[in-house]
Amino acid sequence: MTRYGYFLSTEEHGPAELLRQARMAEEAGFEALWISDHFHPWLDEQGQAPFAWSVIGALSQVTSLPIGTAVTCPLVRTHPAIVAQAAATSAVLTGGRFTLGVGTGEFLNEHIVDARWPPAAERLEMLEEAVGLIRRLFTGGLVTHRGEHYRLDTARLYTLPDEPPPIFMSGFGSKAATLAGRIADGFICMMPDADLVKEYRHSGGEGKPVQGGLKACWGPDEARARETARRIWGSDYLPGEANQLLPQPRQFRQLSQLVTDDMVAAQVPCGPDPGVHERALRAYADAGYDDVFVTQIGPDAGGFFDFYAGEVLPRLRGGRPAGPHDSP
């Protein structure tokens, strides 16, 4: 049975609000949490970018839900050894409820350390080497490494969980799905693409979990919800490689002016109709995803959680009660 989780957006919310939303998500009947890991938001309109690892530590103390990053880039801004240490500590704090989601990242976040931005093929090579290093460090042994992209000198993690956290890899194309099948414990994709799921499974991911995520904008007025989604997340609907190559939120804002409400409506469930939201999430389950994570766009998290607990999650689960906010 598909598991439904909530996606905590560090681009839109500060630390205290993220903790509040995590508690509401658990009360509403969501079964897991994702958290984004960015240095910058995509648009200044989003307005936030707290350090995800600090928030994860706090989350471990206020919720019993599993937590995963969606996703961390262990390539440029943060060395794989530091990511390994952060992930191991997070796994200890959560009692083994942590999953490290990794990906090849975006220039938006990685350029801040004044490093070159490698082409996509090289970033995949770097990710493969980084994941190998992280797994070696998870063993607790002394690691010295002289590789193509990274070096380590007698590094050892002393704080380790009983079992190493699983490593999931994000991908949006055939090459990434194939690599994920070889090196990852699970696959993450932000679109309901059955062909990519098959590619992942045929490349070594058979029997391993696949996770997907999407944004929604609940609100009593559908047109206003569409406008809210476009204003806050217009950058999501830009075609091509802009999301990987632009360095500044203001540049995303400039291009986002080309995005229309109709373009948003084609991809984001908006408004008060539970059937619209149900169909958007069910598309991932139908495409073979094991876990589906959704986030609310905009400030009305309370209304979203009441709506999903009372009307959407019970539909997805065939009428099973979703939590204390269920409609009478």
Side-chain angles (χ1 to χ4, degrees):
M1 179 179 290
T2 303
R3 185 176 66 164
Y4 295 96
Y6 188 72
F7 192 175
L8 296 167
S9 172
T10 60
E11 299 90 343
E12 280 194 67
H13 306 291
E17 174 62 15
L18 293 170
L19 299 185
R20 187 178 80 95
Q21 290 187 14
R23 290 190 291 265
M24 287 193 293
E26 186 165 16
E27 291 173 359
F30 285 97
E31 299 165 277
L33 296 171
W34 266 359
I35 184 168
S36 55
D37 182 3
H38 279 242
F39 192 89
H40 290 145
W42 299 95
L43 298 168
D44 288 332
E45 184 73 29
Q46 293 165 3
Q48 294 286 338
F51 188 50
W53 297 98
S54 298
V55 179
I56 291 168
L59 287 170
S60 72
Q61 305 305 298
V62 301
T63 178
S64 64
L65 296 179
I67 303 165
T69 54
V71 294
T72 292
C73 177
L75 304 189
V76 178
R77 169 174 54 108
T78 311
H79 192 280
I82 306 304
V83 172
Q85 185 184 30
T89 299
S90 297
V92 170
L93 281 170
T94 58
R97 292 179 286 114
F98 179 75
T99 296
L100 174 62
V102 298
T104 55
E106 306 89 13
F107 195 40
L108 173 73
N109 302 296
E110 305 304 303
H111 80 275
I112 64 162
V113 294
D114 197 23
R116 66 178 282 268
W117 184 234
E122 185 176 345
R123 297 202 308 275
L124 285 173
E125 292 176 6
M126 295 171 72
L127 185 60
E128 182 169 6
E129 186 175 337
V131 168
L133 274 177
I134 292 168
R135 291 197 189 279
R136 289 174 63 189
L137 286 163
F138 281 167
T139 68
L142 201 64
V143 179
T144 294
H145 177 79
R146 299 288 183 270
E148 182 71 23
H149 302 287
Y150 301 105
R151 294 191 171 197
L152 277 182
D153 179 25
T154 56
R156 178 184 173 188
L157 295 183
Y158 280 82
T159 299
L160 289 164
D162 293 336
E163 297 290 336
I167 300 175
F168 284 26
M169 179 183 154
S170 173
F172 298 92
S174 176
K175 292 180 181 178
T178 299
L179 178 60
R182 284 200 294 111
I183 71 171
D185 303 309
F187 183 51
I188 294 172
C189 185
M190 299 300 289
M191 51 190 173
D193 192 322
D195 290 336
L196 274 185
V197 172
K198 291 177 183 176
E199 185 122 26
Y200 166 69
R201 300 211 185 280
H202 291 161
S203 302
E206 194 65 45
K208 299 177 183 178
V210 176
Q211 297 184 331
L214 72 158
K215 297 176 179 68
C217 190
W218 172 85
D221 182 275
E222 183 178 351
R224 181 168 294 182
R226 288 181 185 178
E227 189 280 329
T228 297
R230 179 190 55 75
R231 175 173 52 83
I232 297 178
W233 279 98
S235 58
D236 256 16
Y237 317 109
L238 298 174
E241 299 179 70
N243 280 344
Q244 295 180 352
L245 300 178
L246 295 181
Q248 291 294 328
R250 70 172 184 271
Q251 294 163 335
F252 283 100
R253 177 180 57 80
Q254 292 161 2
L255 284 184
S256 293
Q257 295 176 31
L258 303 175
V259 176
T260 66
D261 288 358
D262 287 342
M263 291 168 65
V264 172
Q267 300 186 53
V268 183
C270 293
D273 183 348
V276 169
H277 293 258
E278 177 193 4
R279 286 190 293 275
L281 274 68
R282 197 176 293 281
Y284 286 82
D286 292 344
Y289 290 66
D290 301 286
D291 301 325
V292 183
F293 293 80
V294 61
T295 188
Q296 162 73 352
I297 297 174
D300 194 355
F304 167 88
F305 285 118
D306 285 341
F307 172 65
Y308 264 67
E311 301 192 55
V312 180
L313 292 179
R315 287 169 174 254
L316 290 166
R317 294 167 177 154
R320 182 163 62 87
H325 296 289
D326 289 349
S327 299

